Amino acid sequence: MEANLEPIDESTLFQAIRLGITSGASRIHFRAGAAPLCTWHGGEQQIRYRQLTGEDTEAIAGFLLERAHVPERYVAEPCEAARPLALLCELPGEALLHVRLTHEARRGLVIAVDIARPVEPEVF
């Protein structure tokens, strides 16, 4: 008898994303039928987690969509105000996440999360 799995929860999702941030990953892929996959400059490695289901990818998309907004401090920039043209999520002080949602005929929803870390100011 197969146990029913609960979809991934928000805490586990952001724990996986933070693991990618701290390990230097540039992208994390989430797709049904595979464990989350981190990409580093040309290399890939699975995150130790079970294979994702369609319900997992739908939950992941929902968590990211809930955080997708343009932070007020960017909207008010005098030169180039940020506009919600892409799906961006912020983990304040940690990273900006650029999320791409696509659909594959066989696997369903596929989520790629590109990680942009803050640039530290140079000290002269």
Side-chain angles (χ1 to χ4, degrees), residues 36-123:
L37 183 68
C38 281
T39 302
W40 292 269
H41 306 285
E44 296 181 335
Q45 183 177 358
Q46 287 185 343
I47 294 176
R48 290 181 51 159
Y49 190 72
R50 64 174 168 77
Q51 287 187 350
L52 298 172
T53 64
E55 290 80 17
D56 289 321
T57 57
E58 288 177 15
I60 291 167
F63 297 138
L64 294 170
L65 285 168
E66 286 174 9
R67 290 181 176 242
H69 68 282
V70 177
E72 283 299 317
R73 68 180 183 279
Y74 296 138
V75 172
E77 283 295 315
C79 293
E80 296 187 30
R83 291 171 179 74
L85 299 176
L87 178 52
L88 299 174
C89 303
E90 182 182 22
L91 295 178
E94 295 180 76
L96 186 63
L97 309 174
H98 178 244
V99 180
R100 287 175 292 134
L101 304 171
T102 57
H103 186 271
E104 291 181 357
R106 292 185 136 175
R107 294 192 177 190
L109 185 61
V110 177
I111 304 159
V113 178
D114 291 319
I115 301 169
R117 290 163 192 76
V119 177
E120 297 295 325
E122 291 187 34
V123 178

Coordinates of all heavy atoms in Angstrom, one line a residue, residues 36-123:
P36 N 14.7 18.0 -6.5 CA 15.1 19.4 -6.9 C 16.6 19.3 -7.3 O 17.4 18.5 -6.8 CB 15.0 20.2 -5.6 CG 13.9 19.5 -4.8 CD 14.1 18.0 -5.1
L37 N 16.9 20.1 -8.3 CA 18.2 20.0 -8.9 C 18.9 21.4 -8.9 O 18.3 22.4 -9.4 CB 18.1 19.6 -10.4 CG 19.4 19.4 -11.2 CD1 20.2 18.2 -10.7 CD2 19.0 19.1 -12.7
C38 N 20.1 21.5 -8.3 CA 20.9 22.8 -8.2 C 21.9 22.8 -9.4 O 22.4 21.8 -9.7 CB 21.7 22.9 -6.9 SG 20.7 23.4 -5.5
T39 N 22.0 24.0 -10.0 CA 23.0 24.1 -11.0 C 24.1 25.1 -10.5 O 23.8 26.2 -10.0 CB 22.3 24.7 -12.3 OG1 21.3 23.8 -12.7 CG2 23.3 24.9 -13.4
W40 N 25.3 24.7 -10.7 CA 26.5 25.6 -10.5 C 27.2 25.8 -11.8 O 27.0 24.9 -12.7 CB 27.5 25.0 -9.5 CG 26.9 24.9 -8.1 CD1 27.1 25.8 -7.1 CD2 26.2 23.8 -7.5 NE1 26.5 25.4 -6.0 CE2 25.9 24.1 -6.2 CE3 25.7 22.6 -8.0 CZ2 25.2 23.3 -5.3 CZ3 25.0 21.8 -7.2 CH2 24.8 22.1 -5.8
H41 N 28.0 26.7 -12.0 CA 28.7 27.0 -13.2 C 29.0 25.7 -14.1 O 30.1 25.2 -14.1 CB 30.0 27.7 -13.0 CG 29.7 29.0 -12.1 ND1 29.1 30.1 -12.7 CD2 29.8 29.2 -10.8 CE1 28.9 31.0 -11.7 NE2 29.4 30.5 -10.6
G42 N 28.0 25.2 -14.7 CA 28.1 24.0 -15.5 C 27.9 22.7 -14.9 O 27.6 21.7 -15.6
G43 N 27.9 22.6 -13.6 CA 27.6 21.3 -12.9 C 26.2 21.3 -12.3 O 25.6 22.3 -12.0
E44 N 25.7 20.1 -12.1 CA 24.4 19.9 -11.5 C 24.5 18.9 -10.4 O 25.2 17.9 -10.5 CB 23.4 19.5 -12.5 CG 23.1 20.5 -13.6 CD 22.1 20.0 -14.6 OE1 21.9 18.8 -14.8 OE2 21.5 20.9 -15.2
Q45 N 23.6 19.1 -9.4 CA 23.5 18.1 -8.3 C 22.1 18.1 -7.7 O 21.6 19.2 -7.5 CB 24.6 18.4 -7.2 CG 24.6 17.4 -6.1 CD 25.7 17.7 -5.1 OE1 26.4 18.6 -5.2 NE2 25.7 16.8 -4.1
Q46 N 21.6 17.0 -7.4 CA 20.3 16.9 -6.8 C 20.4 17.3 -5.3 O 21.3 16.9 -4.7 CB 19.7 15.5 -6.9 CG 19.3 15.1 -8.3 CD 18.6 13.7 -8.3 OE1 18.7 12.9 -7.4 NE2 17.9 13.5 -9.4
I47 N 19.3 17.9 -4.9 CA 19.2 18.2 -3.4 C 18.6 17.0 -2.8 O 17.7 16.3 -3.4 CB 18.2 19.4 -3.2 CG1 18.9 20.7 -3.8 CG2 17.9 19.6 -1.7 CD1 18.0 21.9 -3.7
R48 N 19.1 16.6 -1.7 CA 18.6 15.4 -1.0 C 17.2 15.6 -0.5 O 16.9 16.2 0.5 CB 19.5 15.0 0.2 CG 20.8 14.5 -0.3 CD 21.7 14.1 0.9 NE 20.9 13.2 1.8 CZ 21.4 12.4 2.7 NH1 22.7 12.4 2.8 NH2 20.7 11.7 3.4
Y49 N 16.2 15.2 -1.4 CA 14.8 15.3 -1.1 C 14.2 14.3 -2.0 O 14.7 13.8 -3.0 CB 14.3 16.7 -1.4 CG 12.9 17.0 -0.9 CD1 12.6 17.1 0.5 CD2 11.9 17.1 -1.8 CE1 11.4 17.3 0.9 CE2 10.6 17.3 -1.3 CZ 10.3 17.4 0.0 OH 9.0 17.7 0.5
R50 N 13.0 13.9 -1.7 CA 12.3 12.9 -2.5 C 11.9 13.5 -3.9 O 12.0 14.7 -4.1 CB 11.0 12.5 -1.8 CG 10.0 13.6 -1.6 CD 8.7 13.1 -1.0 NE 7.8 14.2 -0.6 CZ 7.1 14.9 -1.4 NH1 7.1 14.8 -2.7 NH2 6.4 15.9 -0.9
Q51 N 11.5 12.6 -4.8 CA 11.0 13.0 -6.1 C 9.8 13.9 -5.9 O 8.9 13.5 -5.0 CB 10.7 11.8 -7.0 CG 11.9 11.1 -7.5 CD 11.5 10.0 -8.5 OE1 10.3 9.7 -8.7 NE2 12.5 9.5 -9.2
L52 N 9.7 15.0 -6.6 CA 8.6 15.8 -6.5 C 7.4 15.3 -7.2 O 7.5 14.6 -8.2 CB 8.9 17.2 -7.0 CG 10.1 17.9 -6.3 CD1 10.5 19.2 -7.0 CD2 9.7 18.2 -4.8
T53 N 6.2 15.6 -6.8 CA 5.0 15.3 -7.5 C 4.4 16.5 -8.1 O 4.9 17.6 -7.9 CB 3.9 14.7 -6.4 OG1 3.6 15.8 -5.5 CG2 4.5 13.6 -5.7
G54 N 3.3 16.3 -8.9 CA 2.7 17.5 -9.5 C 2.1 18.4 -8.5 O 2.1 19.6 -8.6
E55 N 1.6 17.8 -7.3 CA 1.1 18.6 -6.2 C 2.2 19.5 -5.6 O 2.0 20.6 -5.2 CB 0.5 17.8 -5.2 CG -0.8 17.1 -5.6 CD -0.6 15.9 -6.5 OE1 0.5 15.3 -6.5 OE2 -1.6 15.4 -7.1
D56 N 3.4 18.9 -5.6 CA 4.6 19.7 -5.0 C 4.9 20.9 -5.9 O 5.1 22.0 -5.4 CB 5.9 18.8 -5.0 CG 5.8 17.7 -3.9 OD1 5.3 18.0 -2.8 OD2 6.3 16.6 -4.2
T57 N 4.9 20.7 -7.2 CA 5.3 21.8 -8.1 C 4.2 22.9 -8.1 O 4.5 24.1 -8.1 CB 5.6 21.4 -9.5 OG1 4.4 20.7 -10.1 CG2 6.8 20.5 -9.6
E58 N 2.9 22.5 -7.9 CA 1.8 23.4 -7.8 C 2.0 24.2 -6.5 O 1.8 25.4 -6.5 CB 0.5 22.7 -7.9 CG 0.1 22.2 -9.3 CD -1.2 21.5 -9.3 OE1 -2.0 21.6 -8.3 OE2 -1.4 20.8 -10.3
A59 N 2.3 23.5 -5.4 CA 2.5 24.2 -4.1 C 3.7 25.2 -4.2 O 3.6 26.3 -3.7 CB 2.7 23.2 -3.0
I60 N 4.8 24.7 -4.8 CA 6.0 25.6 -5.0 C 5.6 26.9 -5.7 O 5.9 28.0 -5.3 CB 7.1 24.9 -5.7 CG1 7.7 23.8 -4.7 CG2 8.2 25.8 -6.1 CD1 8.6 22.8 -5.4
A61 N 4.9 26.7 -6.9 CA 4.5 27.9 -7.6 C 3.6 28.8 -6.8 O 3.8 30.0 -6.8 CB 3.7 27.4 -8.9
G62 N 2.7 28.2 -6.0 CA 1.9 29.1 -5.1 C 2.7 29.8 -4.1 O 2.4 31.0 -3.9
F63 N 3.6 29.2 -3.5 CA 4.5 29.9 -2.5 C 5.2 31.0 -3.1 O 5.4 32.1 -2.5 CB 5.4 28.9 -1.8 CG 4.8 27.8 -1.0 CD1 5.3 26.5 -1.1 CD2 3.7 28.1 -0.2 CE1 4.7 25.5 -0.3 CE2 3.1 27.1 0.5 CZ 3.6 25.8 0.5
L64 N 5.8 30.8 -4.3 CA 6.6 31.8 -5.0 C 5.7 33.0 -5.5 O 6.0 34.1 -5.4 CB 7.4 31.2 -6.1 CG 8.5 30.2 -5.7 CD1 9.1 29.5 -6.9 CD2 9.6 31.0 -4.9
L65 N 4.5 32.6 -6.0 CA 3.6 33.7 -6.4 C 3.1 34.6 -5.3 O 2.9 35.8 -5.4 CB 2.3 33.0 -7.1 CG 2.6 32.5 -8.5 CD1 1.4 31.6 -9.0 CD2 2.9 33.6 -9.5
E66 N 2.9 34.0 -4.1 CA 2.6 34.8 -2.9 C 3.6 35.8 -2.6 O 3.3 36.9 -2.0 CB 2.3 33.9 -1.7 CG 1.1 33.1 -1.7 CD 1.0 32.1 -0.6 OE1 1.8 32.1 0.3 OE2 0.0 31.2 -0.6
R67 N 4.9 35.5 -2.8 CA 6.0 36.5 -2.5 C 6.3 37.4 -3.7 O 7.2 38.2 -3.6 CB 7.2 35.7 -2.1 CG 7.1 35.0 -0.8 CD 8.3 34.3 -0.4 NE 8.3 33.7 0.9 CZ 9.1 34.1 1.9 NH1 10.0 35.0 1.7 NH2 8.9 33.5 3.0
A68 N 5.7 37.2 -4.8 CA 6.0 37.9 -6.0 C 5.4 39.3 -6.0 O 4.2 39.5 -6.2 CB 5.6 37.1 -7.3
H69 N 6.2 40.3 -5.8 CA 5.8 41.7 -5.8 C 7.0 42.5 -5.9 O 8.2 42.1 -5.7 CB 5.0 42.0 -4.5 CG 5.9 42.0 -3.3 ND1 6.2 40.8 -2.6 CD2 6.4 43.0 -2.6 CE1 7.0 41.1 -1.6 NE2 7.1 42.4 -1.6
V70 N 6.8 43.7 -6.3 CA 8.0 44.7 -6.3 C 8.0 45.4 -5.0 O 7.1 46.0 -4.6 CB 7.8 45.7 -7.5 CG1 8.9 46.7 -7.5 CG2 7.6 45.0 -8.8
P71 N 9.2 45.2 -4.2 CA 9.3 45.9 -2.9 C 9.2 47.4 -3.1 O 9.6 47.9 -4.1 CB 10.7 45.4 -2.5 CG 11.0 44.2 -3.2 CD 10.3 44.3 -4.6
E72 N 8.5 48.0 -2.1 CA 8.3 49.4 -2.2 C 9.6 50.2 -2.4 O 9.6 51.2 -3.1 CB 7.7 49.9 -0.9 CG 6.2 49.6 -0.8 CD 5.4 50.3 -1.9 OE1 5.6 51.5 -2.2 OE2 4.5 49.6 -2.5
R73 N 10.7 49.8 -1.8 CA 11.9 50.6 -2.0 C 12.4 50.6 -3.4 O 13.1 51.5 -3.8 CB 13.0 50.1 -1.0 CG 13.5 48.7 -1.3 CD 14.6 48.4 -0.3 NE 15.2 47.1 -0.5 CZ 14.7 45.9 -0.2 NH1 13.5 45.9 0.4 NH2 15.3 44.8 -0.5
Y74 N 12.0 49.6 -4.2 CA 12.4 49.6 -5.6 C 11.4 50.4 -6.5 O 11.8 51.0 -7.5 CB 12.5 48.2 -6.2 CG 13.5 47.3 -5.5 CD1 13.3 46.0 -5.2 CD2 14.8 47.9 -5.2 CE1 14.3 45.2 -4.6 CE2 15.8 47.1 -4.6 CZ 15.5 45.8 -4.3 OH 16.5 45.0 -3.7
V75 N 10.1 50.4 -6.1 CA 9.1 51.1 -6.9 C 9.4 52.6 -6.9 O 9.2 53.3 -7.9 CB 7.7 50.8 -6.3 CG1 6.7 51.7 -6.9 CG2 7.3 49.4 -6.5
A76 N 9.9 53.1 -5.8 CA 10.1 54.5 -5.6 C 11.5 55.0 -6.1 O 11.8 56.2 -5.9 CB 10.0 54.9 -4.1
E77 N 12.3 54.2 -6.7 CA 13.6 54.6 -7.2 C 13.4 55.7 -8.2 O 12.6 55.6 -9.1 CB 14.4 53.4 -7.9 CG 15.0 52.5 -6.9 CD 16.1 53.1 -6.0 OE1 16.9 53.8 -6.6 OE2 16.0 52.9 -4.8
P78 N 14.2 56.8 -8.1 CA 14.0 58.0 -9.0 C 14.5 57.7 -10.4 O 13.9 58.2 -11.3 CB 14.9 59.1 -8.3 CG 15.8 58.4 -7.5 CD 15.2 57.1 -7.0
C79 N 15.5 56.9 -10.6 CA 16.0 56.7 -12.0 C 15.3 55.6 -12.7 O 14.6 55.9 -13.7 CB 17.5 56.3 -11.9 SG 18.5 57.7 -11.3
E80 N 15.4 54.4 -12.2 CA 14.8 53.3 -12.9 C 13.9 52.5 -11.9 O 14.4 51.5 -11.3 CB 15.8 52.4 -13.5 CG 16.6 53.1 -14.6 CD 17.6 52.1 -15.3 OE1 17.2 50.9 -15.4 OE2 18.6 52.6 -15.8
A81 N 12.7 52.9 -11.8 CA 11.8 52.2 -10.9 C 11.6 50.8 -11.4 O 11.4 50.6 -12.6 CB 10.5 53.0 -10.8
A82 N 11.5 49.9 -10.4 CA 11.2 48.5 -10.8 C 9.8 48.3 -11.2 O 8.9 49.0 -10.6 CB 11.6 47.6 -9.6
R83 N 9.5 47.5 -12.1 CA 8.2 47.2 -12.6 C 8.0 45.7 -12.6 O 8.9 45.0 -12.9 CB 7.9 47.8 -13.9 CG 7.9 49.3 -13.9 CD 7.9 49.9 -15.3 NE 7.9 51.4 -15.3 CZ 8.9 52.2 -15.0 NH1 10.0 51.6 -14.6 NH2 8.8 53.5 -15.0
P84 N 6.8 45.3 -12.3 CA 6.6 43.8 -12.2 C 6.5 43.2 -13.6 O 5.4 42.8 -14.0 CB 5.3 43.7 -11.4 CG 4.5 45.0 -11.7 CD 5.6 46.0 -11.8
L85 N 7.6 43.1 -14.3 CA 7.6 42.6 -15.7 C 7.9 41.1 -15.6 O 7.5 40.3 -16.5 CB 8.7 43.2 -16.5 CG 8.5 44.7 -16.8 CD1 9.6 45.3 -17.5 CD2 7.2 45.0 -17.5
A86 N 8.6 40.6 -14.6 CA 8.9 39.2 -14.5 C 8.5 38.8 -13.1 O 8.2 39.6 -12.2 CB 10.4 39.0 -14.6
L87 N 8.5 37.5 -12.9 CA 8.1 36.9 -11.6 C 9.4 37.0 -10.7 O 10.3 36.2 -10.9 CB 7.6 35.5 -11.7 CG 7.2 34.8 -10.4 CD1 6.3 35.6 -9.6 CD2 6.6 33.4 -10.8
L88 N 9.4 37.9 -9.8 CA 10.6 38.1 -8.9 C 10.1 38.0 -7.5 O 9.1 38.4 -7.1 CB 11.2 39.5 -9.1 CG 11.8 39.9 -10.4 CD1 12.2 41.3 -10.5 CD2 12.9 39.0 -10.8
C89 N 10.9 37.3 -6.7 CA 10.7 37.1 -5.3 C 11.9 37.5 -4.5 O 13.0 37.3 -5.0 CB 10.4 35.6 -4.9 SG 9.0 35.0 -5.9
E90 N 11.7 38.1 -3.4 CA 12.9 38.6 -2.6 C 12.9 37.8 -1.3 O 11.9 37.7 -0.6 CB 12.8 40.1 -2.3 CG 14.0 40.6 -1.6 CD 13.8 42.1 -1.3 OE1 12.7 42.6 -1.3 OE2 14.9 42.7 -1.0
L91 N 14.1 37.4 -0.9 CA 14.4 36.9 0.4 C 15.2 38.1 1.0 O 16.4 38.1 0.7 CB 15.1 35.6 0.4 CG 14.4 34.4 -0.2 CD1 15.3 33.2 -0.1 CD2 13.1 34.2 0.6
P92 N 14.6 39.0 1.7 CA 15.3 40.2 2.1 C 16.7 39.9 2.7 O 16.8 39.1 3.6 CB 14.4 40.9 3.1 CG 13.0 40.4 2.7 CD 13.3 39.0 2.2
G93 N 17.7 40.6 2.2 CA 19.1 40.5 2.7 C 19.8 39.2 2.3 O 21.0 39.0 2.5
E94 N 19.1 38.3 1.5 CA 19.7 37.1 1.1 C 19.8 36.9 -0.4 O 20.9 36.6 -0.9 CB 18.9 35.9 1.6 CG 18.8 35.7 3.1 CD 18.0 34.6 3.6 OE1 18.5 33.4 3.4 OE2 16.9 34.8 4.0
A95 N 18.7 37.2 -1.1 CA 18.8 37.0 -2.6 C 17.5 37.5 -3.2 O 16.5 37.6 -2.6 CB 19.0 35.5 -2.9
L96 N 17.6 37.8 -4.5 CA 16.5 38.1 -5.3 C 16.3 36.8 -6.2 O 17.3 36.3 -6.8 CB 16.7 39.3 -6.2 CG 15.6 39.8 -7.0 CD1 14.4 40.3 -6.1 CD2 16.0 41.0 -7.9
L97 N 15.1 36.3 -6.3 CA 14.8 35.1 -7.1 C 14.0 35.4 -8.3 O 13.0 36.1 -8.3 CB 14.0 34.1 -6.2 CG 14.5 33.8 -4.8 CD1 13.6 33.0 -4.0 CD2 15.9 33.2 -4.9
H98 N 14.5 35.0 -9.5 CA 13.8 35.2 -10.7 C 13.2 33.8 -11.1 O 14.0 32.9 -11.3 CB 14.8 35.7 -11.8 CG 14.1 35.8 -13.2 ND1 14.5 35.0 -14.2 CD2 13.1 36.6 -13.6 CE1 13.7 35.4 -15.3 NE2 12.9 36.3 -14.9
V99 N 11.9 33.8 -11.1 CA 11.2 32.5 -11.3 C 10.6 32.4 -12.7 O 10.0 33.3 -13.2 CB 10.1 32.4 -10.2 CG1 9.3 31.1 -10.4 CG2 10.6 32.6 -8.8
R100 N 10.9 31.3 -13.3 CA 10.3 31.0 -14.6 C 9.4 29.7 -14.5 O 9.9 28.7 -14.0 CB 11.4 30.8 -15.7 CG 12.0 32.1 -16.1 CD 13.2 31.9 -17.0 NE 14.2 31.3 -16.3 CZ 14.9 30.2 -16.8 NH1 14.7 29.8 -17.9 NH2 15.9 29.7 -16.0
L101 N 8.2 29.9 -14.9 CA 7.2 28.7 -14.9 C 7.0 28.3 -16.3 O 6.7 29.1 -17.2 CB 5.9 29.2 -14.3 CG 6.0 29.7 -12.9 CD1 4.7 30.3 -12.5 CD2 6.4 28.7 -11.9
T102 N 7.2 27.0 -16.6 CA 6.9 26.5 -17.9 C 6.1 25.2 -17.7 O 6.0 24.7 -16.6 CB 8.2 26.2 -18.7 OG1 9.0 25.3 -18.0 CG2 8.9 27.4 -19.0
H103 N 5.6 24.7 -18.8 CA 4.8 23.4 -18.8 C 5.4 22.5 -19.8 O 5.6 22.8 -20.9 CB 3.3 23.7 -19.1 CG 2.5 22.6 -18.9 ND1 2.2 21.7 -19.9 CD2 1.8 22.1 -17.8 CE1 1.4 20.7 -19.4 NE2 1.2 21.0 -18.1
E104 N 5.7 21.3 -19.3 CA 6.1 20.2 -20.2 C 5.0 19.2 -20.3 O 4.3 18.8 -19.3 CB 7.3 19.5 -19.6 CG 8.6 20.3 -19.6 CD 9.8 19.6 -19.1 OE1 9.7 18.4 -18.6 OE2 10.9 20.2 -19.1
A105 N 4.8 18.7 -21.5 CA 3.7 17.8 -21.8 C 3.7 16.6 -20.9 O 2.7 16.1 -20.4 CB 3.7 17.3 -23.3
R106 N 4.8 16.0 -20.7 CA 4.9 14.7 -19.9 C 5.0 15.0 -18.4 O 4.6 14.2 -17.6 CB 6.2 13.9 -20.3 CG 6.0 13.4 -21.7 CD 7.2 12.5 -21.9 NE 6.8 11.3 -22.6 CZ 7.5 10.4 -23.0 NH1 8.8 10.5 -22.9 NH2 7.1 9.3 -23.6
R107 N 5.7 16.1 -18.0 CA 5.9 16.3 -16.5 C 5.1 17.3 -15.9 O 5.0 17.5 -14.7 CB 7.4 16.7 -16.3 CG 8.3 15.5 -16.7 CD 9.7 15.8 -16.2 NE 10.5 14.7 -16.5 CZ 11.7 14.5 -16.0 NH1 12.2 15.4 -15.2 NH2 12.4 13.5 -16.3
G108 N 4.4 18.1 -16.7 CA 3.6 19.2 -16.1 C 4.4 20.4 -15.8 O 5.3 20.8 -16.6
L109 N 4.1 21.1 -14.7 CA 4.7 22.4 -14.3 C 6.1 22.2 -14.0 O 6.5 21.3 -13.2 CB 3.9 22.9 -13.1 CG 4.3 24.3 -12.7 CD1 4.1 25.4 -13.8 CD2 3.5 24.7 -11.4
V110 N 7.0 23.0 -14.6 CA 8.4 23.0 -14.3 C 8.8 24.4 -13.8 O 8.4 25.4 -14.4 CB 9.3 22.7 -15.5 CG1 10.8 22.7 -15.3 CG2 8.9 21.3 -16.1
I111 N 9.5 24.5 -12.7 CA 9.9 25.8 -12.1 C 11.4 25.9 -12.1 O 12.1 25.0 -11.5 CB 9.3 25.9 -10.7 CG1 7.8 25.6 -10.7 CG2 9.6 27.2 -10.0 CD1 7.2 25.2 -9.4
A112 N 11.9 27.0 -12.6 CA 13.3 27.3 -12.6 C 13.5 28.6 -11.8 O 12.9 29.6 -12.0 CB 13.9 27.5 -13.9
V113 N 14.3 28.5 -10.7 CA 14.5 29.6 -9.8 C 16.0 30.1 -10.0 O 16.9 29.4 -9.6 CB 14.2 29.3 -8.4 CG1 14.5 30.5 -7.5 CG2 12.8 28.8 -8.2
D114 N 16.2 31.2 -10.6 CA 17.6 31.8 -10.7 C 17.8 32.7 -9.5 O 17.0 33.4 -9.1 CB 17.7 32.7 -12.0 CG 17.6 31.9 -13.3 OD1 18.3 30.8 -13.3 OD2 17.0 32.3 -14.2
I115 N 19.0 32.5 -8.9 CA 19.4 33.2 -7.7 C 20.3 34.3 -8.0 O 21.4 34.1 -8.5 CB 20.0 32.2 -6.7 CG1 19.1 31.0 -6.4 CG2 20.5 32.9 -5.4 CD1 19.7 29.8 -5.7
A116 N 19.9 35.5 -7.5 CA 20.8 36.7 -7.6 C 21.1 37.2 -6.2 O 20.2 37.6 -5.5 CB 20.1 37.8 -8.4
R117 N 22.4 37.1 -5.9 CA 22.8 37.5 -4.5 C 23.1 38.9 -4.5 O 23.5 39.5 -5.5 CB 24.1 36.7 -4.2 CG 23.8 35.2 -3.9 CD 25.1 34.4 -3.9 NE 24.8 33.0 -4.0 CZ 24.4 32.4 -5.0 NH1 24.2 33.0 -6.2 NH2 24.1 31.1 -5.0
P118 N 23.0 39.6 -3.3 CA 23.4 41.0 -3.3 C 24.9 41.2 -3.5 O 25.7 40.3 -3.2 CB 23.1 41.4 -1.8 CG 22.4 40.2 -1.2 CD 22.6 39.0 -2.1
V119 N 25.2 42.3 -4.2 CA 26.6 42.6 -4.4 C 27.1 43.4 -3.3 O 26.5 44.5 -2.9 CB 26.7 43.4 -5.8 CG1 28.2 43.8 -6.0 CG2 26.2 42.6 -6.9
E120 N 28.2 43.0 -2.7 CA 28.8 43.7 -1.5 C 29.5 44.9 -2.1 O 30.3 44.8 -3.1 CB 29.7 42.8 -0.8 CG 29.0 41.6 -0.1 CD 28.0 42.0 1.0 OE1 28.3 43.0 1.7 OE2 27.0 41.4 1.1
P121 N 29.4 46.1 -1.5 CA 30.1 47.3 -1.9 C 31.6 47.1 -1.7 O 32.0 46.5 -0.7 CB 29.6 48.4 -1.1 CG 28.9 47.8 0.1 CD 28.5 46.4 -0.3
E122 N 32.4 47.5 -2.7 CA 33.9 47.4 -2.5 C 34.4 48.5 -1.6 O 33.9 49.6 -1.6 CB 34.5 47.5 -3.9 CG 34.2 46.4 -4.8 CD 35.1 46.5 -6.1 OE1 36.2 46.9 -6.1 OE2 34.5 46.0 -7.1
V123 N 35.3 48.1 -0.8 CA 36.0 49.0 0.1 C 37.3 49.4 -0.5 O 38.1 48.6 -0.9 CB 36.2 48.4 1.5 CG1 36.9 49.4 2.4 CG2 34.9 48.0 2.0

